[in-house]
mmCIF file of all heavy atoms in Angstrom:
data_model
loop_
_atom_site.group_PDB
_atom_site.id
_atom_site.type_symbol
_atom_site.label_atom_id
_atom_site.label_comp_id
_atom_site.label_asym_id
_atom_site.label_seq_id
_atom_site.Cartn_x
_atom_site.Cartn_y
_atom_site.Cartn_z
ATOM 1 N N LEU A 345 7.915 5.501 -15.850
ATOM 2 C CA LEU A 345 7.979 6.652 -16.758
ATOM 3 C C LEU A 345 8.031 6.176 -18.210
ATOM 4 O O LEU A 345 7.281 6.668 -19.059
ATOM 5 C CB LEU A 345 9.217 7.503 -16.448
ATOM 6 C CG LEU A 345 9.167 8.331 -15.167
ATOM 7 C CD1 LEU A 345 10.515 8.971 -14.882
ATOM 8 C CD2 LEU A 345 8.100 9.417 -15.286
ATOM 9 N N LEU A 346 8.910 5.187 -18.498
ATOM 10 C CA LEU A 346 9.074 4.716 -19.876
ATOM 11 C C LEU A 346 7.830 3.963 -20.352
ATOM 12 O O LEU A 346 7.354 4.185 -21.465
ATOM 13 C CB LEU A 346 10.299 3.806 -19.985
ATOM 14 C CG LEU A 346 11.656 4.496 -19.789
ATOM 15 C CD1 LEU A 346 12.782 3.486 -19.919
ATOM 16 C CD2 LEU A 346 11.841 5.635 -20.793
ATOM 17 N N SER A 347 7.294 3.088 -19.483
ATOM 18 C CA SER A 347 6.142 2.276 -19.912
ATOM 19 C C SER A 347 4.930 3.139 -20.216
ATOM 20 O O SER A 347 4.301 2.995 -21.268
ATOM 21 C CB SER A 347 5.749 1.271 -18.831
ATOM 22 O OG SER A 347 6.842 0.520 -18.446
ATOM 23 N N LEU A 348 4.616 4.065 -19.296
ATOM 24 C CA LEU A 348 3.416 4.883 -19.523
ATOM 25 C C LEU A 348 3.600 5.767 -20.758
ATOM 26 O O LEU A 348 2.671 5.938 -21.547
ATOM 27 C CB LEU A 348 3.104 5.729 -18.286
ATOM 28 C CG LEU A 348 2.470 4.962 -17.116
ATOM 29 C CD1 LEU A 348 2.347 5.846 -15.886
ATOM 30 C CD2 LEU A 348 1.088 4.417 -17.485
ATOM 31 N N SER A 349 4.836 6.320 -20.955
ATOM 32 C CA SER A 349 5.074 7.129 -22.160
ATOM 33 C C SER A 349 4.901 6.260 -23.399
ATOM 34 O O SER A 349 4.297 6.682 -24.392
ATOM 35 C CB SER A 349 6.490 7.715 -22.163
ATOM 36 O OG SER A 349 6.738 8.370 -20.958
ATOM 37 N N GLY A 350 5.451 5.039 -23.360
ATOM 38 C CA GLY A 350 5.332 4.110 -24.493
ATOM 39 C C GLY A 350 3.878 3.784 -24.792
ATOM 40 O O GLY A 350 3.458 3.783 -25.954
ATOM 41 N N LEU A 351 3.098 3.536 -23.742
ATOM 42 C CA LEU A 351 1.682 3.197 -23.935
ATOM 43 C C LEU A 351 0.930 4.381 -24.539
ATOM 44 O O LEU A 351 0.084 4.211 -25.425
ATOM 45 C CB LEU A 351 1.045 2.793 -22.600
ATOM 46 C CG LEU A 351 1.561 1.493 -21.966
ATOM 47 C CD1 LEU A 351 0.908 1.247 -20.611
ATOM 48 C CD2 LEU A 351 1.306 0.302 -22.882
ATOM 49 N N LEU A 352 1.270 5.601 -24.068
ATOM 50 C CA LEU A 352 0.596 6.797 -24.605
ATOM 51 C C LEU A 352 0.960 7.004 -26.069
ATOM 52 O O LEU A 352 0.106 7.349 -26.893
ATOM 53 C CB LEU A 352 1.004 8.027 -23.788
ATOM 54 C CG LEU A 352 0.324 8.183 -22.425
ATOM 55 C CD1 LEU A 352 1.033 9.230 -21.592
ATOM 56 C CD2 LEU A 352 -1.145 8.568 -22.591
ATOM 57 N N LEU A 353 2.261 6.780 -26.394
ATOM 58 C CA LEU A 353 2.688 6.950 -27.794
ATOM 59 C C LEU A 353 2.001 5.922 -28.686
ATOM 60 O O LEU A 353 1.526 6.264 -29.777
ATOM 61 C CB LEU A 353 4.209 6.791 -27.894
ATOM 62 C CG LEU A 353 5.026 8.031 -27.504
ATOM 63 C CD1 LEU A 353 6.510 7.712 -27.539
ATOM 64 C CD2 LEU A 353 4.709 9.201 -28.434
ATOM 65 N N GLY A 354 1.947 4.673 -28.209
ATOM 66 C CA GLY A 354 1.285 3.611 -28.976
ATOM 67 C C GLY A 354 -0.159 3.969 -29.290
ATOM 68 O O GLY A 354 -0.670 3.747 -30.376
ATOM 69 N N MET A 355 -0.808 4.601 -28.289
ATOM 70 C CA MET A 355 -2.204 5.005 -28.443
ATOM 71 C C MET A 355 -2.316 6.096 -29.508
ATOM 72 O O MET A 355 -3.197 6.073 -30.357
ATOM 73 C CB MET A 355 -2.663 5.557 -27.102
ATOM 74 C CG MET A 355 -4.104 5.540 -26.849
ATOM 75 S SD MET A 355 -4.304 5.455 -25.068
ATOM 76 C CE MET A 355 -4.166 7.113 -24.605
ATOM 77 N N ARG A 356 -1.369 7.042 -29.441
ATOM 78 C CA ARG A 356 -1.358 8.162 -30.378
ATOM 79 C C ARG A 356 -1.155 7.678 -31.816
ATOM 80 O O ARG A 356 -1.694 8.246 -32.761
ATOM 81 C CB ARG A 356 -0.231 9.120 -29.967
ATOM 82 C CG ARG A 356 -0.159 10.333 -30.809
ATOM 83 C CD ARG A 356 0.195 11.533 -30.012
ATOM 84 N NE ARG A 356 -0.245 12.719 -30.715
ATOM 85 C CZ ARG A 356 -0.484 13.859 -30.145
ATOM 86 N NH1 ARG A 356 -0.372 13.948 -28.853
ATOM 87 N NH2 ARG A 356 -0.847 14.892 -30.845
#
Side-chain angles (χ1 to χ4, degrees):
L345 287 172
L346 292 180
S347 307
L348 284 173
S349 308
L351 294 177
L352 283 167
L353 279 175
M355 203 153 84
R356 183 143 202 157

